[in-house]
């Protein structure tokens, strides 16, 4: 692991550990500065950490007159790109991206990810799959030795609405655990994704072969995509409590 951000490390030692929000910003700024260059097509992830990455992208476009186009992974990402005055594109015009930057809910030692806490996993996986480099940004709470140790809400799985009951039952029968239909905060109904589907959150026990589990779940009729990102991430930037940034 490489550690950078010594100026912030000094700041942190003066004022105690930094908060997760500041750690997100450190990771996002470092990733944008190290991986985005002029004339690139950039995939823009979803969530709260990506907000800092888009801030930094916009700052660099203004200051360095960078010429970049951004491809969003969600309605939220699209809004962020537009609100920051960045150039919006899509996979029709840019099917090959130079880099995609996105947050994660958990990152293990092999850069296997759980994503989809915000329900955007399908478009996030498509965009990451189109990128030459996929870079993850996260605060220290997402860093994990094994999936399930940090993120307790389970693996999000996007499903066709009519199939959510049989898909949930099949997953539990084959892999154990519990599969809950994700409900809106108001409890008035299920969360509906940008693709008009539902999300099952599958809470599992213990370590797994994630390649095998991901492939098996994807084969169940009605499953659109899983929030398991196996062998996709090239780098992960973690903003740490001491104000440094760890790169894996
Ligand atoms: C959304 C995602 C997010 O990238 C993930 O939930 C991390 O979000 P945050 O940066 O808010 O912690 O996968 O579907």
């Amino acid at each position: 692991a490489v550690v950078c951000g010594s100026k912030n490390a000094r700041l942190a030692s003066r004022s105690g550990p930094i908060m997760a929000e500041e750690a997100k910003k450190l990771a996002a700024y470092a990733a944008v500065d190290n991986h985005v260059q002029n004339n690139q097509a950039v995939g823009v992830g979803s969530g709260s950490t990506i907000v800092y990455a888009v801030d930094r992208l916009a700052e660099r476009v203004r200051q360095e007159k960078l010429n970049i186009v951004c491809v969003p992974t969600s309605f939220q990402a699209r809004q962020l790109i537009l609100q920051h005055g960045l150039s919006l594109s899509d996979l029709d015009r840019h099917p090959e991206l130079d880099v995609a930057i996105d947050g994660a809910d958990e990152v293990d030692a092999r850069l296997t990810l759980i994503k989809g806490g915000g329900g955007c996993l399908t478009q996030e996986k498509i965009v990451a799959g189109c990128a030459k480099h996929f870079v993850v940004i996260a605060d220290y709470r997402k860093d994990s030795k094994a999936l399930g140790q940090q993120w307790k809400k389970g693996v999000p799985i996007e499903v066709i609405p009519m199939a959510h009951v049989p898909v949930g039952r099949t997953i539990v029968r084959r892999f154990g655990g519990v599969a809950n239909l994700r409900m809106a905060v108001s409890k008035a109904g299920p969360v509906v994704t940008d693709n008009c589907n539902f999300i099952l959150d599958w809470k599992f026990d213990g370590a797994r072969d994630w390649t095998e589990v991901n492939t098996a779940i994807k084969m169940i009729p009605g499953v659109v995509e899983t929030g398991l990102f196996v062998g996709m991430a090239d780098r992960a930037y973690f903003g740490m409590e001491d104000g440094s940034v760890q790169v894996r």
Side-chain angles (χ1 to χ4, degrees):
V2 180
V3 182
C4 51
S6 56
K7 180 174 155 228
N8 290 306
R10 281 199 299 277
L11 271 178
S13 62
R14 269 210 309 271
S15 52
I18 64 168
M19 305 308 269
E21 215 50 41
E22 183 63 20
K24 291 180 192 182
K25 182 174 173 180
L26 289 174
Y29 273 50
V32 169
D33 288 353
N34 288 343
H35 293 276
V36 177
Q37 291 163 22
N38 200 18
N39 295 320
Q40 285 190 334
V42 180
V44 174
S46 309
S48 57
T49 314
I50 198 70
V51 175
Y52 297 109
V54 177
D55 284 346
R56 183 60 181 153
L57 279 175
E59 199 170 83
R60 288 192 59 200
V61 165
R62 272 197 312 275
Q63 290 171 354
E64 300 169 39
K65 305 273 180 286
L66 282 190
N67 174 32
I68 57 166
V69 295
C70 297
V71 173
T73 55
S74 61
F75 182 77
Q76 178 222 358
R78 183 178 182 278
Q79 295 302 98
L80 277 176
I81 292 164
L82 292 175
Q83 283 160 4
H84 283 74
L86 293 165
S87 176
L88 178 69
S89 190
D90 52 43
L91 294 177
D92 292 356
R93 284 170 285 182
H94 292 92
E96 190 172 299
L97 305 171
D98 296 288
V99 61
I101 302 178
D102 203 346
D105 300 303
E106 192 170 16
V107 184
D108 79 4
R110 304 175 67 179
L111 297 188
T112 302
L113 317 175
I114 293 179
K115 284 186 53 53
C120 312
L121 55 131
T122 300
Q123 293 188 35
E124 290 173 338
K125 203 182 265 192
I126 293 168
V127 167
C130 291
K132 289 185 212 154
H133 300 285
F134 176 36
V135 178
V136 178
I137 51 178
D139 64 75
Y140 48 86
R141 298 170 305 173
K142 312 293 182 67
D143 188 3
S144 176
K145 284 203 172 54
L147 293 189
Q149 287 184 355
Q150 302 283 9
W151 179 251
K152 301 295 180 194
K153 295 183 184 168
V155 176
I157 297 161
E158 183 160 355
V159 292
I160 300 291
M162 68 167 289
H164 78 87
V165 172
V167 168
R169 286 165 62 99
T170 305
I171 291 172
V172 170
R173 182 164 36 82
R174 289 177 58 183
F175 302 107
V178 188
N180 294 323
L181 180 64
R182 192 181 294 181
M183 299 301 284
V185 179
S186 65
K187 304 266 188 255
V191 165
V192 178
T193 70
D194 286 350
N195 313 307
C196 301
N197 295 317
F198 292 171
I199 299 281
L200 291 174
D201 287 300
W202 171 54
K203 292 186 190 168
F204 54 91
D205 296 320
R208 307 290 174 120
D209 177 335
W210 294 116
T211 306
E212 212 173 280
V213 171
N214 181 47
T215 308
I217 293 178
K218 284 200 68 165
M219 293 298 290
I220 300 169
V223 170
V224 176
E225 191 50 271
T226 84
L228 287 166
F229 285 49
V230 189
M232 295 190 78
D234 297 298
R235 284 271 184 284
Y237 284 70
F238 297 99
M240 305 305 289
E241 276 180 294
D242 66 0
S244 65
V245 177
Q246 295 243 358
V247 186
R248 180 181 302 150

